[in-house]
Amino acid sequence: MEFGFEVSLCSYLEATTDWILARQLGAAVAEPGNRIIDICCVIPNQSIDTRTQITARSIPTAAIDSAVGPGDAVYWRDAFDCHPERARSVTDHAIEIGFFEVERNGGRRYIRQVARYPQWYDRLIGIENKPDLSRPGNLEQQLRLDVSLGIFDEVVLATESYVTRAHLNRIPDEVGVWRFDPQNGDRTVIREPQQLPTTETGVELLENHSLKTDIALITAEQKQRKRTQLAERSYGKGWRTYDFPACVHGAAEDGALPYCTHYGCLVDASTDCGVGCPEFASADPPAVDTAAIRDDRSPWVHQPDGIVRTQSGLDRFF
Ligand code: SF4
């Protein structure tokens, strides 16, 4: 149920906003696996056009935070404050995806950014999906973590359930609430989210004991780095990270959503389909070009032209 709800909400947001969306990203800092946000929404600003021209893939924060700028090329080993193997790996990757360009001098690689990395987003919204509020799991604890940590500007609980006053009283006041009907794409704002303090030190709740809670203090700088990482991961990854059913009943619904024609519903092929399903009949999955659909429906650019630079600094090496 939650998978169908989640991808339906992503499809709805993609159709009604210019946001960059991704699913299932680690949203904590001290222990990133402690908090997986269901949907990360990145609200872009006008610099998105520069970002889209650099690369369709995620740019690693280690490359963004390095001493490699868009001006004079620097020797790659001098540009990182980490183990040389890690520096080499980040350099190779940044060159491969088109964020760094390389110049050679005497067998050494000198690198620079193809364009100054743009601050291309204004806000991040985290959405926690809980279609059925009668089965909340650890919802309250997750939302308390989001609010005390303040990585997202806003956090929203999305549900299909009728929301009562008792439900609202159980979640932090700062958290917004949407009611969303995945069948007809109706979204009702039950409560607006409040701005969270993203530029102040945050508190990451780690583990609850009977008499105390372990915490980690996360500085504003660490939070900013995490926000950039979330924005970049969202840009490169997107939300259609699922497979389509390799079954004669498998299909792609409008927006490239994985659908089962036998049961008449969206399916998570990784868990719903296969020999465990009584109606499974092996076949090729439906051919769907998810990258082309994402390119068409969102600001993400699948195959950017790239940024052409003048090579004015090159001659001094030869
Ligand atoms: S495996 Fe089952 S759930 Fe999946 S598409 Fe086939 S019939 Fe539908």
Side-chain angles (χ1 to χ4, degrees):
M1 179 187 187
E2 188 157 327
F3 174 83
F5 181 87
E6 188 164 297
V7 295
S8 297
L9 182 54
C10 285
S11 183
Y12 163 84
L13 291 172
E14 188 178 72
T16 55
T17 70
D18 64 351
W19 300 351
I20 295 289
L21 306 166
R23 299 170 41 237
Q24 303 294 317
L25 296 184
V29 177
E31 294 188 20
N34 262 358
R35 180 66 175 115
I36 306 296
I37 197 75
D38 287 330
I39 304 176
C40 177
C41 311
V42 186
I43 290 78
N45 56 32
Q46 70 280 2
S47 295
I48 183 75
D49 291 339
T50 306
R51 174 62 189 86
T52 59
Q53 286 310 305
I54 297 174
T55 175
R57 294 166 66 183
S58 303
I59 301 175
T61 47
I64 297 166
D65 293 341
S66 71
V68 181
D72 289 343
V74 296
Y75 179 45
W76 69 272
R77 285 184 76 143
D78 295 339
F80 293 88
D81 186 17
C82 60
H83 191 280
E85 277 311 306
R86 168 86 177 128
R88 183 192 301 277
S89 161
V90 172
T91 299
D92 290 347
H93 183 63
I95 293 169
E96 185 203 331
I97 64 175
F99 181 50
F100 288 170
E101 60 184 359
V102 62
E103 302 168 2
R104 294 196 176 276
N105 179 28
R108 283 185 156 196
R109 291 193 300 175
Y110 290 76
I111 50 178
R112 61 181 179 183
Q113 295 180 5
V114 295
R116 184 179 299 285
Y117 180 76
Q119 177 56 39
W120 60 272
Y121 65 91
D122 281 340
R123 291 189 307 134
L124 300 181
I125 299 175
I127 300 178
E128 177 65 23
N129 296 318
K130 195 58 68 180
D132 182 359
L133 285 178
S134 68
R135 297 159 61 190
N138 59 351
L139 174 66
E140 191 179 333
Q141 190 182 340
Q142 290 172 322
L143 296 176
R144 290 203 183 287
L145 188 156
D146 295 336
V147 169
S148 66
L149 184 54
I151 291 288
F152 295 100
D153 292 270
E154 294 172 355
V155 173
V156 169
L157 166 66
T159 183
E160 197 173 352
S161 300
Y162 177 73
V163 181
T164 65
R165 176 55 52 190
H167 289 133
L168 292 177
N169 287 342
R170 276 198 291 273
I171 61 174
D173 291 344
E174 295 87 343
V175 175
V177 180
W178 296 348
R179 191 171 184 206
F180 178 67
D181 183 340
Q183 312 304 325
N184 58 24
D186 275 352
R187 181 178 68 101
T188 306
V189 177
I190 307 290
R191 186 169 83 187
E192 293 284 0
Q194 296 175 22
Q195 172 70 47
L196 298 175
T198 59
T199 56
E200 297 170 11
T201 297
V203 177
E204 184 170 329
L205 312 175
L206 298 176
E207 203 170 340
N208 273 322
H209 304 283
S210 54
L211 293 175
K212 63 175 183 128
T213 301
D214 293 339
I215 63 163
L217 293 180
I218 308 299
T219 66
E221 196 179 330
Q222 288 174 297
K223 285 165 59 169
Q224 182 53 46
R225 186 177 162 86
K226 183 70 189 182
R227 284 164 60 82
T228 301
Q229 184 190 68
L230 279 166
E232 280 299 325
R233 289 203 172 148
S234 299
Y235 189 80
K237 189 177 175 197
W239 59 271
R240 293 181 181 87
T241 50
Y242 42 75
D243 293 326
F244 287 84
C247 168
V248 293
H249 303 296
E253 243 203 358
D254 183 42
L257 302 180
Y259 188 76
C260 170
T261 55
H262 179 82
Y263 291 111
C265 61
L266 297 173
V267 282
D268 182 354
S270 67
T271 54
D272 299 334
C273 303
V275 291
C277 171
E279 300 299 329
F280 172 69
S282 181
D284 288 336
V288 189
D289 188 345
T290 52
I293 291 170
R294 186 182 183 208
D295 183 306
D296 187 46
R297 295 184 177 215
S298 79
W300 180 77
V301 175
H302 182 206
Q303 293 177 315
D305 296 333
I307 292 176
V308 179
R309 292 180 51 121
T310 59
Q311 300 291 299
S312 55
L314 277 176
D315 0 339
R316 64 196 166 81
F317 291 118
F318 299 99

